[in-house]
Amino acid sequence: MPKNQHVLIIGAGLCGSLLALRMAQRGYQVSVYEKRPDLRKITLDSGRSINLAFSNRGNKAMKLVGIDQQVKTLCIPMHGRMLHDTAGKTIFAPYSGRENEYINSISRNDLNALLLTEAEKRNNVSIYFNNKCVSVDFENTSALFYNYESKNEHVINADVIFATDGAGSAMRKSYYLGKKFLFSFSQDYLTHGYKELSILPDKTGAHKTFKNALHIWGREAFMLIALPNLDGSFTVTLFLSYDDGTYNFNNLTTEARVLEFFSTYFKDALKLMPNLVEDFFKNPTSPLGTVKCSPWHYKGNTLLMGDAAHAIVPFYGQGMNASFEDVVEFDQVLEAHPNPESKSDWETIFKVYEAKRKKDTDAIADLAIDNFHEMKGHVNNAVFREKRNLEMALEKEFPNDYASKYSLVTFNENIGYREAMLKGRAQDKAILNMLTDGVISLNDDLEVNLKKIKQETEAILEDDRIAGLK
Amino acid sequence: MPKNQHVLIIGAGLCGSLLALRMAQRGYQVSVYEKRPDLRKITLDSGRSINLAFSNRGNKAMKLVGIDQQVKTLCIPMHGRMLHDTAGKTIFAPYSGRENEYINSISRNDLNALLLTEAEKRNNVSIYFNNKCVSVDFENTSALFYNYESKNEHVINADVIFATDGAGSAMRKSYYLGKKFLFSFSQDYLTHGYKELSILPDKTGAHKTFKNALHIWGREAFMLIALPNLDGSFTVTLFLSYDDGTYNFNNLTTEARVLEFFSTYFKDALKLMPNLVEDFFKNPTSPLGTVKCSPWHYKGNTLLMGDAAHAIVPFYGQGMNASFEDVVEFDQVLEAHPNPESKSDWETIFKVYEAKRKKDTDAIADLAIDNFHEMKGHVNNAVFREKRNLEMALEKEFPNDYASKYSLVTFNENIGYREAMLKGRAQDKAILNMLTDGVISLNDDLEVNLKKIKQETEAILEDDRIAGLK
């Protein structure tokens, strides 16, 4: 195998284009094949500007490839959740007690375009659009593509193949259907789906409501959220059951029903959305799924990364961040095993990477499901709010000594997701139980509360360890 | 839809033949199609007599169809685990402190044969062997079969279809590949596989070692077990990693290696197995997988049951019992919704059944994985043994007031698996922590210990409820 190896990347989405840039920086010959047209050359429908939450783990990856300052210009900071009740009353709930900890709204397209442009600046990267991966021959390290322009199929051989082709990954399908090895796989759908809507800018081009927050209309059985865009609009997402409840996606079939639903539950949002009905019937309803699988790699030939390896539901705002962190973690393994020259060297790298990484992507998948329930309902629950208030006070007063589960997951990029989950869950359990039992209260001395929480959290973790549960 | 409806059952294994018998008892016209030849008419290889653990939940089903006394004659009671250490020393660990609580070893074939014969006695049951299901058209309630004898494909239409065609279910595959609805699905393999071996009878036809126990040679990273057969033999199963450790399935490729492995770790077993090497290289190595999916039904047309809906690993001895319990639970739903006449009636029945049943089959799947670790290792661990000893004493002294997790799962057929899991896990956690912390000890008064365990168990369950964890 030559020093100057040919790395094939399937998929030029967020993860694939970042990986291409990083592998090019490391000197590999990189080819990227992408199913869709070049998104820098096509115009989007208005009101279809999709945004994502971007936070510390994602930013660590941007720093790794040296484009964090450029990315910053694409970001709108969101310092907390703006909770809207049915009467239209709002409460602002900060994400952290520390001023410098916030998440960002960013356009998926703008960020992807930047990554593609940065990758293409390297003369050892070639990106081919309109090439859909049909299947991967993982035993021979080659992939079959269908070119939408020439309407022909063609095979690409490589020294190693990375599939970053998203939740519907063609390579993962080849692993599953190939039955050449024991492939553990799961796809889990929520009974809720989602639909994207929009709040357009006002006549002056400004945001119609407070832009530096993630807006939430949590209604227990369903919810609406809104994230700001640079053009003055918000992308709004409705999460609703397909089948259950008085209002669901299957029975919201007329203009009157949709308006009735929104005027009952989201009155203040409806006022900002004269375009609601049009959006509602134009935009698709999409499912919410979690994908886990193992192994991610076939020997030293092929590796799944990003959503292709671990698709998660969007409720922790960590999907893109987790995929970017994959590249950071993979890069660390490459750093520790430099200059792989044989299939066996690559196999070692893939094994070490998966052994270190999979526990963390499994954890964020589970945390994201938990947060669905928290966002829909618990944010409105008295003891949960009391907990959040106490935690904000602790983070403000003891910025170096306390971090909530949300902070551990979102703002502590040097702690893995699994560690954040175990500690965060134990902490939540300690606080909720001590608040309920009156062992601590918001009126008590903060330092005393902090000490009690730390002791109880440690006791919970220790009890689980003894019982062999963790 | 006529009163006298045509029920098609795919698969005449344990679950399918029981279901056929029960549906026939309820007056339906039942057709059963089975891939394999009639097992009553073929002879098996010697040393390939596969047995299973049969216990209360399974027996409840036998009582339902009125054949429990016949089944009893096929059973060999196993009152506990016989634990073998590397020196060949044994300790007997009973399954319960109550005399009447034990599990049974039963031949899969003998039991299946009995069920087939009982089903065929009814004139409203027809069983067709050598017919492999190719696919199910669940929208039109019909199934495509390939007949191995005529070598032709043919379609069978029905009013409702039940797929009891096991872990590799053709109907489940049709659900998955059909993409007509959101189908959540998982297949999870352990990194261990298994191989069946045997201890043949002695010259007099008697068992070579104690027959009324489930023998376990637990070695942390792997284990060997043996269950008795009526013919004087034991079916022995080796559970071992495919890849990891000094000895694994991938590197046990020579006679010398196999003998070295067994003489190092299973010396006393090896003495009883002069046929080891022959068995080892003749019998396949098979994977250990868990399958979960949802929904189990398509509208009122089709329903997955047994392993087709929920395949589990064998370590709790509950695979067959859970499948039999499916039939009991389904029958209860039918009892509460008698005389379904339309697709919509059947849909209600299928929905109610799945809503009640799935949480329990998910729980036993997870418990079975836990027990793998317990059997390999924890049975040898001092504090786990201390716990078991205390629990046996409690069950003996307070037979109506205490049941261990094992008893809740295995001997309490009127409690669902999920309730058994939640209570059993909390109880284990309480005891392990209190033993470790010196809050209770085997020397303390039993009644005091019982009270402390009950209080601590309830506190653990309550803490989890407050934290929203359960």
Side-chain angles (χ1 to χ4, degrees):
Chain A
M1 201 176 279
K3 263 282 187 192
N4 194 356
Q5 291 170 57
H6 177 212
V7 168
L8 169 61
I9 296 175
I10 304 170
L14 294 166
C15 185
S17 51
L18 172 65
L19 180 68
L21 173 55
R22 187 59 192 159
M23 293 303 276
Q25 288 175 339
R26 283 191 169 272
Y28 293 93
Q29 286 299 324
V30 181
S31 304
V32 188
Y33 284 77
E34 164 62 40
K35 172 169 71 175
R36 295 188 193 80
D38 187 343
L39 57 84
R40 294 164 299 182
K41 295 179 183 162
I42 53 171
T43 46
L44 289 167
D45 295 351
S46 69
R48 292 290 290 154
S49 145
I50 306 309
N51 51 30
L52 296 165
F54 174 76
S55 53
N56 294 37
R57 292 175 199 270
N59 200 42
K60 189 175 178 181
M62 299 301 102
K63 286 180 188 162
L64 176 70
V65 294
I67 61 168
D68 51 306
Q69 290 309 314
Q70 286 165 269
V71 172
K72 202 170 181 179
T73 64
L74 304 176
C75 288
I76 300 179
M78 299 183 290
H79 295 277
R81 295 165 169 166
M82 186 68 80
L83 308 174
H84 297 246
D85 72 14
T86 43
K89 222 184 74 190
T90 57
I91 294 177
F92 181 77
Y95 279 125
S96 171
R98 285 171 285 267
E99 295 253 322
N100 60 335
E101 290 183 349
Y102 53 85
I103 65 175
N104 302 279
S105 179
I106 193 167
S107 154
R108 169 190 270 277
N109 272 347
D110 291 352
L111 181 55
N112 205 345
L114 172 64
L115 286 164
L116 288 170
T117 299
E118 289 299 316
E120 275 189 332
K121 280 185 187 166
R122 323 282 311 189
N123 58 19
N124 51 342
V125 175
S126 305
I127 308 180
Y128 305 91
F129 294 96
N130 300 303
N131 276 276
K132 175 199 165 95
C133 179
V134 179
S135 63
V136 176
D137 180 350
F138 46 85
E139 291 180 305
N140 293 304
T141 325
S142 70
L144 178 66
F145 293 93
Y146 174 77
N147 186 314
Y148 285 112
E149 288 165 336
S150 71
K151 313 229 186 277
N152 288 324
E153 289 191 344
H154 59 113
V155 170
I156 304 292
N157 292 290
D159 293 311
V160 275
I161 298 178
F162 295 87
T164 51
D165 51 346
S169 172
M171 188 162 93
R172 200 185 62 232
K173 204 180 290 171
S174 293
Y175 279 6
Y176 181 78
L177 297 174
K179 295 187 192 294
K180 300 282 184 182
F181 56 94
L182 293 181
F183 186 55
S184 293
F185 166 71
S186 70
Q187 59 182 33
D188 270 297
Y189 293 103
L190 297 182
T191 53
H192 283 58
Y194 73 95
K195 190 186 281 287
E196 276 153 359
L197 306 166
S198 56
I199 296 173
L200 299 177
D202 70 14
K203 283 171 192 160
T204 71
H207 290 91
K208 280 189 187 162
T209 184
F210 183 63
K211 81 170 175 185
N212 292 116
L214 192 156
H215 294 261
I216 305 183
W217 294 257
R219 300 294 181 263
E220 301 289 343
F222 44 85
M223 77 171 164
L224 194 71
I225 67 169
L227 279 78
N229 297 311
L230 288 174
D231 67 1
S233 68
F234 287 83
T235 301
V236 179
T237 311
L238 171 65
F239 298 95
L240 178 68
S241 176
Y242 282 100
D243 284 318
D244 295 333
T246 310
Y247 298 95
N248 59 52
F249 276 124
N250 288 342
N251 71 24
L252 285 178
T253 51
T254 66
E255 191 167 318
R257 286 278 295 167
V258 171
L259 288 172
E260 181 185 294
F261 177 49
F262 271 73
S263 59
T264 308
Y265 289 103
F266 312 116
K267 192 173 277 190
D268 60 330
L270 180 59
K271 280 189 193 143
L272 309 177
M273 300 166 76
N275 49 314
L276 168 68
V277 170
E278 190 192 337
D279 280 354
F280 196 94
F281 292 105
K282 191 181 66 187
N283 295 341
T285 304
S286 305
L288 293 159
T290 301
V291 172
K292 293 179 183 175
C293 65
S294 163
W296 288 343
H297 67 100
Y298 179 75
K299 298 189 177 168
N301 298 4
T302 59
L303 178 68
L304 296 165
M305 287 179 82
D307 283 3
H310 49 76
I312 65 179
V313 294
F315 305 106
Y316 228 109
Q318 286 293 319
M320 168 178 64
N321 293 289
S323 290
F324 282 172
E325 195 176 57
D326 280 4
V327 178
V328 174
E329 296 268 322
F330 184 75
D331 190 69
Q332 284 170 1
V333 179
L334 263 185
E335 189 66 32
H337 299 77
N339 304 318
E341 290 186 9
S342 63
K343 291 283 182 199
S344 149
D345 290 348
W346 281 110
E347 184 167 12
T348 301
I349 288 166
F350 293 171
K351 270 193 180 166
V352 170
Y353 166 70
E354 182 170 347
K356 179 160 189 300
R357 185 68 180 147
K358 182 159 167 58
K359 64 175 182 1
D360 287 323
T361 59
D362 282 351
I364 191 60
D366 297 346
L367 284 164
I369 302 272
D370 291 354
N371 229 37
F372 177 46
H373 304 294
E374 178 160 344
M375 287 173 80
K376 276 190 302 148
H378 296 165
V379 286
N380 302 320
N381 168 308
V383 65
F384 269 78
R385 279 216 199 144
E386 216 177 335
K387 177 177 82 71
R388 278 303 285 171
N389 290 339
L390 176 56
E391 290 190 286
M392 291 308 101
L394 289 170
E395 290 193 336
K396 199 165 187 173
E397 188 77 14
F398 307 103
N400 301 316
D401 269 341
Y402 190 78
S404 69
K405 184 173 77 181
Y406 190 87
S407 286
L408 290 168
V409 171
T410 309
F411 306 122
N412 284 263
E413 66 273 26
N414 298 319
I415 296 174
Y417 285 125
R418 181 171 162 80
E419 188 185 334
M421 176 180 78
L422 294 182
K423 184 169 183 188
R425 283 183 174 172
Q427 226 168 236
D428 281 356
K429 185 172 174 178
I431 299 174
L432 289 167
N433 273 287
M434 289 197 295
L435 281 173
T436 304
D437 299 346
V439 176
I440 56 174
S441 100
L442 278 171
N443 303 324
D444 295 347
D445 180 81
L446 263 185
E447 199 165 353
V448 174
N449 278 346
L450 178 63
K451 203 175 156 193
K452 285 181 182 168
I453 293 167
K454 288 197 163 197
Q455 276 173 351
E456 185 61 17
T457 300
E458 199 33 63
I460 287 168
L461 289 169
E462 179 63 12
D463 283 359
D464 283 348
R465 272 193 290 268
I466 288 171
L469 292 173
K470 293 285 149 43
Chain B
M1 201 178 280
K3 264 279 185 196
N4 193 356
Q5 293 170 56
H6 176 211
V7 168
L8 170 60
I9 296 175
I10 304 170
L14 294 165
C15 185
S17 52
L18 172 66
L19 180 68
L21 173 55
R22 186 59 193 160
M23 293 303 276
Q25 288 174 341
R26 284 192 168 272
Y28 293 93
Q29 287 298 325
V30 180
S31 305
V32 188
Y33 284 77
E34 165 60 40
K35 172 169 70 172
R36 295 187 194 79
D38 187 343
L39 57 84
R40 295 164 298 182
K41 295 178 183 161
I42 53 170
T43 47
L44 289 167
D45 296 350
S46 68
R48 293 289 290 155
S49 146
I50 306 307
N51 51 31
L52 295 165
F54 174 76
S55 53
N56 294 37
R57 293 175 197 271
N59 200 41
K60 188 175 179 181
M62 300 303 100
K63 287 179 186 162
L64 175 70
V65 294
I67 60 168
D68 51 308
Q69 290 309 312
Q70 286 166 270
V71 171
K72 202 170 180 180
T73 64
L74 304 176
C75 288
I76 300 178
M78 298 183 289
H79 295 278
R81 295 165 169 166
M82 185 68 80
L83 308 174
H84 298 245
D85 72 12
T86 41
K89 223 183 72 188
T90 57
I91 294 177
F92 180 77
Y95 279 125
S96 170
R98 284 171 287 268
E99 295 252 321
N100 61 335
E101 290 183 350
Y102 54 85
I103 64 174
N104 302 279
S105 179
I106 194 166
S107 154
R108 168 189 270 275
N109 270 348
D110 290 353
L111 182 55
N112 205 154
L114 172 64
L115 287 163
L116 289 169
T117 299
E118 290 299 316
E120 275 190 333
K121 281 183 187 166
R122 323 282 311 189
N123 58 20
N124 51 343
V125 175
S126 304
I127 307 180
Y128 306 90
F129 294 95
N130 300 304
N131 275 276
K132 176 197 162 100
C133 180
V134 179
S135 62
V136 175
D137 179 352
F138 46 84
E139 291 181 306
N140 293 304
T141 325
S142 70
L144 178 67
F145 293 94
Y146 174 78
N147 186 313
Y148 284 114
E149 288 164 337
S150 70
K151 313 226 185 281
N152 287 324
E153 288 191 344
H154 59 113
V155 170
I156 304 292
N157 291 290
D159 293 311
V160 273
I161 298 178
F162 295 86
T164 51
D165 50 347
S169 173
M171 188 163 93
R172 201 184 62 232
K173 204 179 291 171
S174 293
Y175 280 6
Y176 180 78
L177 296 175
K179 296 187 192 293
K180 301 280 182 179
F181 56 96
L182 293 182
F183 186 56
S184 293
F185 167 71
S186 70
Q187 59 182 30
D188 269 297
Y189 293 103
L190 297 181
T191 51
H192 284 57
Y194 72 97
K195 189 186 282 287
E196 278 152 359
L197 306 165
S198 56
I199 296 174
L200 298 177
D202 69 14
K203 281 171 193 163
T204 71
H207 290 92
K208 279 188 186 163
T209 184
F210 183 63
K211 82 171 174 185
N212 291 117
L214 193 156
H215 293 262
I216 304 182
W217 293 259
R219 300 292 181 264
E220 301 287 346
F222 44 85
M223 78 171 159
L224 192 72
I225 67 168
L227 279 78
N229 297 311
L230 288 173
D231 67 1
S233 69
F234 287 84
T235 302
V236 178
T237 311
L238 172 65
F239 299 95
L240 178 68
S241 175
Y242 281 101
D243 284 318
D244 296 332
T246 309
Y247 297 95
N248 60 50
F249 276 124
N250 288 343
N251 70 24
L252 285 178
T253 51
T254 65
E255 191 168 320
R257 285 278 295 169
V258 171
L259 289 172
E260 180 186 294
F261 176 49
F262 272 73
S263 59
T264 308
Y265 290 103
F266 312 116
K267 192 174 277 190
D268 60 331
L270 180 58
K271 280 188 191 142
L272 309 175
M273 301 167 76
N275 49 313
L276 168 67
V277 169
E278 192 192 337
D279 281 354
F280 196 94
F281 292 106
K282 189 181 67 187
N283 295 341
T285 304
S286 305
L288 293 159
T290 301
V291 172
K292 294 179 181 174
C293 65
S294 166
W296 288 341
H297 67 100
Y298 179 76
K299 298 188 177 166
N301 299 6
T302 59
L303 177 68
L304 297 165
M305 288 179 82
D307 284 2
H310 47 75
I312 65 179
V313 294
F315 305 105
Y316 228 109
Q318 286 293 320
M320 168 177 65
N321 293 288
S323 290
F324 282 173
E325 196 177 57
D326 279 4
V327 178
V328 174
E329 296 268 321
F330 184 75
D331 190 70
Q332 286 170 1
V333 179
L334 264 184
E335 190 66 33
H337 299 78
N339 304 320
E341 289 185 11
S342 63
K343 292 283 183 200
S344 148
D345 291 347
W346 281 109
E347 183 167 13
T348 301
I349 288 167
F350 293 170
K351 269 194 180 164
V352 170
Y353 166 71
E354 182 169 344
K356 180 160 187 302
R357 185 66 181 147
K358 182 159 166 60
K359 64 178 182 357
D360 287 323
T361 58
D362 282 351
I364 192 59
D366 297 345
L367 283 165
I369 302 272
D370 291 354
N371 230 35
F372 177 45
H373 303 294
E374 178 160 345
M375 288 173 80
K376 275 190 304 150
H378 297 166
V379 287
N380 302 319
N381 168 307
V383 65
F384 269 78
R385 280 216 198 145
E386 219 178 333
K387 176 177 81 72
R388 279 303 284 171
N389 290 340
L390 175 57
E391 291 189 286
M392 291 308 100
L394 289 169
E395 291 193 335
K396 200 163 187 173
E397 189 78 11
F398 308 103
N400 302 316
D401 269 343
Y402 190 78
S404 69
K405 183 173 78 180
Y406 190 86
S407 285
L408 291 168
V409 171
T410 309
F411 306 121
N412 285 264
E413 65 272 26
N414 297 320
I415 296 174
Y417 285 126
R418 182 173 160 81
E419 188 186 334
M421 177 180 78
L422 294 181
K423 184 168 181 190
R425 282 184 175 172
Q427 224 166 236
D428 281 356
K429 186 174 175 176
I431 299 174
L432 289 168
N433 273 286
M434 290 197 294
L435 281 173
T436 304
D437 299 346
V439 176
I440 56 173
S441 99
L442 278 171
N443 304 323
D444 295 348
D445 179 81
L446 263 184
E447 201 166 349
V448 174
N449 278 347
L450 178 64
K451 204 176 154 190
K452 285 182 183 168
I453 292 167
K454 287 196 164 197
Q455 278 175 351
E456 184 62 18
T457 301
E458 200 32 66
I460 288 168
L461 289 169
E462 179 64 12
D463 283 0
D464 283 347
R465 274 192 289 268
I466 288 171
L469 291 174
K470 292 287 149 44

